[in-house]
Amino acid sequence: MELKIAALSDIEDVLALHYTYQVDSIAPEDKADGFVTTPFTAAQLSALIEQEQGLFIARQQGQVVGYIMAASWQFWSAWPMFAYMIQDLPKLQYRGHTLSIDNSYQYGPVCLDKRVRGSGVLEDLFAFALQQMARRYPVLVTFVNKNNPRSYAAHTRKVGLEVIAEFEYNNNHYYEMACLTQR
Ligand SMILES: CC(C)(COP(=O)(O)OP(=O)(O)OC[C@H]1O[C@@H](n2cnc3c(N)ncnc32)[C@H](O)[C@@H]1OP(=O)(O)O)[C@@H](O)C(=O)NCCC(=O)NCCS
C-alpha cells in the first residue's frame, strides 16, 4: 500500500473511484455502505492539490483504492453548505479551542474502494492525512450524514472523532465531528 499526497497526474484515477461511489452514479446495491455526494470536477481537484496540497490517496497494485480530501474553510467556502458551517464555527468549543477558520480545517469527503473496506486502510490513510494537516491546524472538523451509519461507526470507533454538534441543512441531518491533529 502506497500512501501519498496526490499530484495532478492522480486526478483521473481519483475521479474514477469517486464516481463509482458518488450518489448519482453509485450502483444501488452499494449505497447502503455509504456514498459521497459532491460531484467534483477535475478542475476542482486540481485546485485542491495546487492550492491546498489537500488530496491524500492510497494506491494498491497501482490502483487508487482510497482518497481523503482536506482543506481550509476558505477553500471549501465555495460550496454553500460549508459557508453555512463556517458561520457556526465560533459557537463551537473543542478541547479548549473556540473553533475558527484559522485553527481548524475541514476533512472529507473520504472514500474507499469496497474491496479494501474494513481492512485498516481508513486508519492508515486517515493517520497519514492527519499528520500532514497537523503542520497547519490544531483541529480537524468534519460532518457525517446521519443516513451514513457506516461512516459514523468508522469515524467514531476507528479513527477517534468526537461529535461536537448536530445540524440540519437542506433537509439532511448531520453530526459535526472533530479531533485534535496532534496525537
Ligand atoms: C466510510 C468509509 C470510508 C469507512 O471505511 P471502512 O473501511 O468501510 O470502515 P470500517 O469497515 O473499518 O468500519 C466501519 C464499521 O462500521 C460497521 N458497519 C458497517 N455497516 C454499518 C451500518 N450500516 N451501520 C452501522 N455500522 C456499520 C462495520 O461493521 C465496521 O465496524 P467493525 O469493523 O467493528 O465491524 C467507507 O465505508 C467508504 O468509503 N464508504 C463509501 C463512501 C462514504 O460513505 N464516505 C463517507 C462520506 S464522506
Side-chain angles (χ1 to χ4, degrees), residues 102-165:
D102 298 317
N103 65 15
S104 68
Y105 68 99
Q106 205 289 133
Y107 156 94
V110 48
C111 188
L112 301 186
D113 190 306
K114 64 180 180 182
R115 288 170 297 175
V116 302
R117 292 185 195 159
S119 70
V121 172
L122 176 68
E123 290 91 320
D124 291 349
L125 186 56
F126 182 91
F128 176 72
L130 193 73
Q131 196 181 30
Q132 308 299 321
M133 297 305 285
R135 298 176 186 165
R136 285 175 267 167
Y137 302 98
V139 185
L140 170 157
V141 175
T142 191
F143 65 91
V144 173
N145 196 316
K146 288 190 182 178
N147 72 9
N148 195 344
R150 183 170 191 136
S151 181
Y152 178 81
H155 284 100
T156 49
R157 290 200 279 109
K158 304 289 179 79
V159 300
L161 299 195
E162 297 180 297
V163 174
I164 55 169

Side-chain angles (χ1 to χ4, degrees), residues 25-124:
S25 44
I26 190 171
E29 63 272 22
D30 288 343
K31 215 172 165 187
D33 284 317
F35 52 87
V36 286
T37 306
T38 308
F40 288 104
T41 63
Q44 288 166 333
L45 295 192
S46 297
L48 179 64
I49 290 169
E50 292 186 321
Q51 295 168 21
E52 303 276 333
Q53 293 79 52
L55 182 57
F56 305 91
I57 61 171
R59 277 191 186 272
Q60 203 171 55
Q61 286 149 8
Q63 284 202 311
V64 172
V65 292
Y67 74 72
I68 283 174
M69 299 186 197
S72 66
W73 291 103
Q74 288 92 332
F75 179 84
W76 294 120
S77 65
W79 285 266
M81 177 160 155
F82 293 115
Y84 175 83
M85 288 177 75
I86 289 168
Q87 280 185 339
D88 277 354
L89 270 185
K91 297 179 196 156
L92 298 173
Q93 302 278 331
Y94 182 67
R95 295 191 179 245
H97 297 273
T98 300
L99 297 185
S100 72
I101 58 171
D102 298 317
N103 65 15
S104 68
Y105 68 99
Q106 205 289 133
Y107 156 94
V110 48
C111 188
L112 301 186
D113 190 306
K114 64 180 180 182
R115 288 170 297 175
V116 302
R117 292 185 195 159
S119 70
V121 172
L122 176 68
E123 290 91 320
D124 291 349

Side-chain angles (χ1 to χ4, degrees), residues 4-45:
K4 60 175 278 211
I5 302 174
L8 296 178
S9 56
D10 295 309
I11 288 176
E12 195 179 326
D13 291 347
V14 171
L15 285 175
L17 173 64
H18 180 74
Y19 282 100
T20 303
Y21 300 108
Q22 198 265 345
V23 64
D24 301 318
S25 44
I26 190 171
E29 63 272 22
D30 288 343
K31 215 172 165 187
D33 284 317
F35 52 87
V36 286
T37 306
T38 308
F40 288 104
T41 63
Q44 288 166 333
L45 295 192

